[in-house]
Amino acid sequence: MAMLLDRRYNPFNELENWNRAFFGDTSLAEFKTDIRDLGDSFLLEADLPGFRKEEINLSLNGDTLTIKAVRHSGYEEEAKRKGYLRCERSYGTYARSFDVTGVDTNGIRAAYQDGVLTVTLPKRSAHRPEGQTIPIE
């Protein structure tokens, strides 16, 4: 059985591997998101392909919503590295934080399907009474 290997020489591979070993792999620092204003709510869609729903965590701290996802690989364990000929898929932690000032945080809803996390962020009601009497003290 013939095996295809990428044998193109890249003089920067060693430097890149050293950089990752020394500084850590930072390629997963961000994931791509789109945010739309739907009038009464915002819709945040984040690309997180290859994750299971259980590997994604949403947390709210004050007016900051943080989305975090962690991907593990068998390549992380020294004993399993021997079977790899090439390891290009990224692993590590993805994390992004968003300001949710003006959002009704009690109404935030999230769903994950086909590698896309969808978060619905309802806007706070700007309800003002039609009329009121202001007492003088």
Side-chain angles (χ1 to χ4, degrees):
M1 182 166 125
M3 185 182 283
L4 289 175
L5 295 176
D6 186 358
R7 295 191 185 268
R8 288 178 284 161
Y9 176 70
N10 182 345
F12 298 103
N13 275 345
E14 288 184 52
L15 180 60
E16 183 179 337
N17 291 339
W18 178 85
N19 190 43
R20 279 189 187 152
F22 188 78
F23 294 107
D25 187 0
T26 59
S27 64
L28 298 181
E30 271 190 11
F31 48 87
K32 305 298 181 194
T33 61
D34 293 334
I35 301 173
R36 293 188 286 164
D37 187 339
L38 302 178
D40 62 345
S41 65
F42 298 103
L43 182 67
L44 183 148
E45 295 172 305
D47 286 344
L48 292 167
F51 285 96
R52 292 188 325 268
K53 182 170 66 171
E54 297 78 24
E55 296 172 321
I56 302 169
N57 180 285
L58 279 75
S59 61
L60 190 61
N61 186 5
D63 284 335
T64 302
L65 173 69
T66 299
I67 301 171
K68 184 177 179 180
V70 179
R71 175 178 296 155
H72 296 282
S73 168
Y75 188 76
E76 293 173 296
E77 300 173 31
E78 184 67 35
K80 293 182 180 178
R81 283 187 189 184
K82 294 176 184 174
Y84 283 88
L85 299 175
R86 182 175 206 101
C87 187
E88 293 183 340
R89 295 187 314 160
S90 299
Y91 60 91
T93 301
Y94 285 85
R96 295 241 355 229
S97 294
F98 301 90
D99 180 16
V100 292
T101 302
V103 169
D104 176 8
T105 56
N106 292 322
I108 295 174
R109 300 290 176 256
Y112 181 68
Q113 183 176 354
D114 298 330
V116 178
L117 176 68
T118 303
V119 183
T120 303
L121 305 154
K123 294 179 182 178
R124 280 191 194 137
S125 174
H127 176 68
R128 296 181 183 183
E130 291 181 19
Q132 68 185 50
T133 303
I134 300 172
I136 300 174
E137 294 183 29

